[in-house]
Amino acid sequence: MNDISLKDALKVVGTRPVRPDGVDKVMGRAQFGGDAVMPGMIFGSTVRSPHAHARIIKIDTSAAEAMKGVRAVVTAADLPNITSEEAFVGEGPMNFRDLSCNLMARDKVLYDGHVVAAVAATSTSIARAAAEAIKVEYEVLPHVINEMEAMQPGAPVLHDDIFTSGVDPKPTTPSNVVKRMEFAKGDLEAGFAAADKIVERTYTTAPVHQAYIEPHACVAAFNPDGQCQVICSSQGHFMVRAYCAKLLGIDISEIRVTPAEIGGGFGGKTLVYLEPLALALSRKAGRPVRMVMTREEVFRGSGPTSGGTINVKVGAKMDGTITAAHAEVILQAGAYPGSPIGPALMTCWAMYDIENASAVGFDVVSNRPKVAAYRAPGAPISTYATESAVDELSRAIGMDPIELRLKNAAKDGTKALYGPTFQNIGYVETLEAAKNHPNLQAKLGPNQGRGVAAGFWFNIGGESSASLAVNEDGTIALVSGSPDIGGSRASMAMMAAEVLGVNVERVRPIIGDTASVGFTFVTGGSRVTFATGTAVCDASDDIVKQLRGRAAKLWEIDVEAVEWRDGSAYPAGDNAGKFEPLSLADIAVKSGRTGGPIAAKATVNAQGAGPGWGVHVVDVEVDKETGHVKILRYTAAQDVGRAIHPSYVEGQVQGGAVQGIGWALNEEYIYDKDGRLDNGGFLDYRVPVASDLPKIDVALVEVPNPRHPFGAKGVGEVPIVPPMAAIANAIFDATGVRMTSLPMSPPKVRAALDAAGK
Amino acid sequence: MYSPTYAAPTTVDEAVGLLANASGAARVLSGGTDLIIQMRSGRLRPEVIVDIKKIAGTIGIREEADGWHIGAATPGAEIGEHAGLCAAWPGVTEAVQLIGSTQVQGRASFAGNLCNASPAGDSVPGLVAAGALAVIVGKNGKRTVPVEDVPVSPGRTSLAADEFVYEFIIPKASGKTSDAYLRFIPRTEMDIAVVGCGITVTLDASGTCTAAKVCLGAVAPTILVLDDAAKILIGNKLDDATLAKLDAAAQAACKPIDDKRGTIEFRTKVAGVLARRVAAIAFERAAAR
């Protein structure tokens, strides 16, 4: 194990080499999910519900099946009827039955865009025409979109088997409220009684989509012997394999999934939408089937994250001590149970050491697409509310917002509201880095304001596999099981190169298919550099041990007398004997004579992921006449443990901040009165464009995580947590108006300014 | 299965013949930045597509005695690079360059933007304010109409089935005349106007407005020509009182809808804001002539 405090001794980690997958991507040669080809392949399309809530009376596929070129039509009748079973295959909890029904509606459709049938044909246009020829008869039911309305007695009930859990007594009538959760410590009442100032407010957020550029896409073949091949872009090909096996009722060994390059996931590709359908179509058609969603299908049918309603009450003494904090969070789950309510509650006060605190939450279904993970699932929603309220509190007691956070900051030894005691955390250092950033010296002009907010994310470890092989010329083949969605191939190669003492260009990293490398959990939870990185380092350590053994054999000395330094074997000291050093290449070329090929594999279930802490400071200018908010300056400080490849770590932080800016200012799902999505495309679902943004300045803080060989902590999720509150706080600073509803779009900002007489 | 016919005639007569004799719905293709998108989404399924870009005169800009002649399908990028036209009509030329993105600019045209007949078309208010004429060809020959007479309702134009826009004529800007166009969008580019406003003014030596034309987009089923607002400007200089009256007149003229892009209240207020801002730019440019 390396001494993680010795950053200066590192030769590869911390440098910025060109990414191994870079040239293919800039040349347009990278093969994404929709690029994959199988011989004889045909093309799939889906039929989707135009209703928010309806009973399926009848599906008539005869006209479609009679069309020339149509090879297969499938409905729920072609899929096994799955019984209720909780699974942890993707990033969040998922019930197999719900996932099956989400892929292909059974009995009822629960949202606009819910798939009711799929068709495969010899061309995409025939498939689409056939999809239109499938006649579905519906009995339209009353629907409910808003989470607060869905909670009301008398609201249309989506599932007759949901009885709110976590309440006493257990309800006897079904409702849309799946569960109630609570975390609490101390005495809230006494805490508020001790406060000099209390802020109490309600906030709302809109569902937002992960908005990856690459739509869901796959090619799948179900061969006559029962063996299945899937090529797709996902955040976990082992996850795809597990879901396909379960939903189609086949053995895992029958399915081989090959990962394609992935054009963004952000959590939204930690579950399946198309692959089991493509396999079911292929089984019927006897041909491989390619399915690619349109952008509209991505918006209507794949998971956004929740919108929600959050009530916050927080109090402090005039000296800045926060005496009590309470949050009630109501999250949309979409059509099936499972909003990120747990993490929303666990993260929202995690930045603070507060004696008396509580967080209560409700998971609520309504007639929307089932939510999927999105970067730090749940945390941005609840933290927008709590960090807005803390900003208001800092103004109420006249204290600088960073000073207030420093005074109450979580430190090593702080016991979090959700249970654990923090160790090796760098939150105070992150606050200091934000406070000392030169951007905070910039003078603000008229209608300009500055806002601060912080955020927390757990990060996870988990199961990963990696293998290394020393090639005959001393170069290295590195295989891991983690799809690369953020530059992880580069960081894997760098960590291996650091351990082996070779140039990073000597290491060629790839992602193995499900038959070529051990099980690896999804790329999610900001876990890959930590967990898969640990597996890579373990395998690299094993290689070093073997290399020392081979040198010992060549020199005919004891392996303990051989040390590995800068990519070569050296005698450990004068007593070991006098030998010229042997490089990795020297040993590799002789490996046949010293025991055969040199290779190693490692599997881990990594524990002890270091949490991520982010502090964002944003300067905005508000056009008071139009309500348009311009981001002038953006500073993101973050504890990253150790930046393996600083450019890609900065890229993660910048990307998270930018997605947060979109969430804050313009992104939202808009439904019409019939419960149909009205903005299912990039024209009216407004992600930020380049000209909307300044450079996102990143301050990397490195408080190493002792549980990782180089001290790395997860970095990809926490940067989307602070932006919404930071921007809301900056808008208040610029205008004196508190925006309590996302997105803070121009019509809403102008209306709020008008209402306040500003 | 749907399979439209594509034709790229080289003469006006041939194109008119194709349009007149089409058995089903026919559509004229210029840059296609609306048409292709609408076909791909399934909203439009024309039986016949008549590409006019191979007809002489449909692409290009030339200065003649009666004004600037701009071929119907001339792409925005070409318009934006024409120094003479950009100097003469900065508002008109800036407006067309707001459509879409750099890539879209390689194709997007005045005629497509006008005949798509969306009230939010960015290039239309500027053309109208500048007094531009559309030269329309059809089986009965050629006719010339003010640009504002082309759209009649969202998605519909006054053109007959056999007609298409061949070119535009923008008068030469004489004396202290200039124009401006601004639109409001939630982002900074790649978006559709929530409100658009084009204004052309002519000033005398003292800076007093002697002629004006004010046009609003995206606040009614078609673009609006605001005669009342023009009258407020004429006879006045750019002072606070005049701007306040202009703001009120613009707001009064609005007949917007509530939709995903903006509320009635928001569109109305922003129409007033933009009218003031656009007038200020147009006055400044005209005064500098």
Side-chain angles (χ1 to χ4, degrees), chain A residues 125-126 132 623 625-626 628 666 670 678 682-684 686-687 689 691-692 746-747 750 754, chain B residues 1 45 184-192 260-263 265-266 269-270 273 276-277:
Chain A
S125 46
I126 295 173
E132 284 179 30
D623 182 338
E625 291 190 322
T626 64
H628 188 270
N666 281 306
I670 301 169
D678 199 21
F682 277 135
L683 183 56
D684 285 303
R686 291 185 178 77
V687 298
V689 295
S691 57
D692 294 341
R750 169 80 203 237
D754 287 346
Chain B
M1 213 178 59
R45 288 190 174 176
F184 180 79
I185 55 171
R187 294 185 291 205
T188 48
E189 61 178 334
M190 311 256 298
D191 220 328
I192 289 183
K260 58 196 169 189
R261 293 184 187 136
T263 58
E265 188 191 5
F266 180 73
K269 285 174 179 169
V270 171
V273 172
R276 277 190 278 114
R277 292 181 181 182

Side-chain angles (χ1 to χ4, degrees), chain B residues 50-77:
Chain B
V50 180
D51 184 344
I52 60 166
K53 293 194 291 295
K54 293 204 163 59
I55 302 169
T58 59
I59 294 179
I61 300 161
R62 58 185 203 280
E63 189 177 3
E64 293 192 5
D66 60 346
W68 296 92
H69 288 240
I70 304 168
T74 309

Side-chain angles (χ1 to χ4, degrees), chain A residues 340-672:
Chain A
I341 187 66
L345 301 180
M346 291 151 83
T347 53
C348 69
W349 297 119
M351 296 79 77
Y352 299 95
D353 185 1
I354 312 174
E355 205 177 316
N356 310 297
S358 79
V360 175
F362 297 90
D363 182 32
V364 181
V365 294
S366 63
N367 296 110
R368 296 171 171 277
K370 167 75 178 80
V371 300
Y374 182 17
R375 275 186 127 138
I381 304 163
S382 55
T383 306
Y384 156 62
T386 55
E387 284 294 274
S388 291
V390 168
D391 186 75
E392 199 170 343
L393 191 62
S394 74
R395 291 169 196 276
I397 62 171
M399 194 166 183
D400 175 85
I402 295 183
E403 294 302 332
L404 177 73
R405 285 173 175 83
L406 279 168
K407 187 169 179 67
N408 297 282
K411 301 180 186 68
D412 284 357
T414 297
K415 188 169 163 55
L417 171 61
Y418 70 95
T421 301
F422 292 128
Q423 293 299 341
N424 306 300
I425 67 170
Y427 181 44
V428 168
E429 290 85 345
T430 307
L431 282 164
E432 299 281 0
K435 183 176 148 182
N436 297 326
H437 197 280
N439 281 355
L440 274 74
Q441 303 306 314
K443 292 269 181 292
L444 295 173
N447 300 318
Q448 296 182 355
R450 180 166 294 156
V452 175
F456 163 85
W457 184 250
F458 320 87
N459 299 325
I460 60 169
E463 296 154 275
S464 284
S465 303
S467 64
L468 272 79
V470 178
N471 301 320
E472 309 90 284
D473 60 356
T475 57
I476 306 293
L478 163 58
V479 184
S480 91
S482 292
D484 178 357
I485 62 172
S488 61
R489 264 167 295 188
S491 59
M492 295 305 127
M494 290 170 73
M495 288 185 275
E498 184 74 56
V499 173
L500 297 170
V502 299
N503 288 335
V504 69
E505 293 76 17
R506 309 273 290 173
V507 183
R508 177 55 49 182
I510 67 157
I511 300 139
D513 64 48
T514 54
S516 309
V517 65
F519 177 85
T520 301
F521 189 60
V522 291
T523 296
S526 299
R527 61 177 292 278
V528 171
T529 306
F530 173 68
T532 309
T534 299
V536 167
C537 290
D538 286 358
S540 303
D541 285 335
D542 187 347
I543 295 282
V544 167
K545 196 173 155 197
Q546 294 181 48
L547 291 165
R548 286 170 53 224
R550 301 302 175 94
K553 213 170 220 173
L554 288 167
W555 289 335
E556 297 178 342
I557 63 174
D558 193 86
V559 66
E560 298 306 320
V562 180
E563 67 176 25
W564 191 258
R565 216 164 62 225
D566 301 332
S568 293
Y570 290 85
D574 292 341
N575 294 340
K578 287 231 178 297
F579 302 101
E580 283 302 304
L582 284 169
S583 71
L584 199 158
D586 296 335
I587 298 170
V589 77
K590 293 175 183 144
S591 63
R593 284 191 273 134
T594 57
I598 300 169
K601 64 178 174 55
T603 60
V604 299
N605 184 358
Q607 305 296 314
W613 306 88
V615 178
H616 292 198
V617 184
V618 58
D619 293 353
V620 304
E621 181 171 314
V622 181
D623 182 338
K624 288 185 176 173
E625 291 190 322
T626 64
H628 188 270
V629 175
K630 183 180 181 188
I631 308 292
L632 300 171
R633 232 169 264 110
Y634 202 104
T635 315
Q638 186 174 320
D639 173 20
V640 301
R642 174 77 74 227
I644 305 299
H645 192 307
S647 297
Y648 303 151
V649 172
E650 287 158 5
Q652 287 290 318
V653 178
Q654 290 166 330
V658 168
Q659 286 188 309
I661 290 168
W663 197 333
L665 295 180
N666 281 306
E667 293 181 38
E668 61 180 319
Y669 265 48
I670 301 169
Y671 282 89
D672 69 14

Side-chain angles (χ1 to χ4, degrees), chain A residues 691-711:
Chain A
S691 57
D692 294 341
L693 302 163
K695 180 170 183 292
I696 308 294
D697 293 311
V698 179
L700 297 182
V701 176
E702 297 189 307
V703 176
N705 174 15
R707 302 293 291 272
H708 180 269
F710 298 106

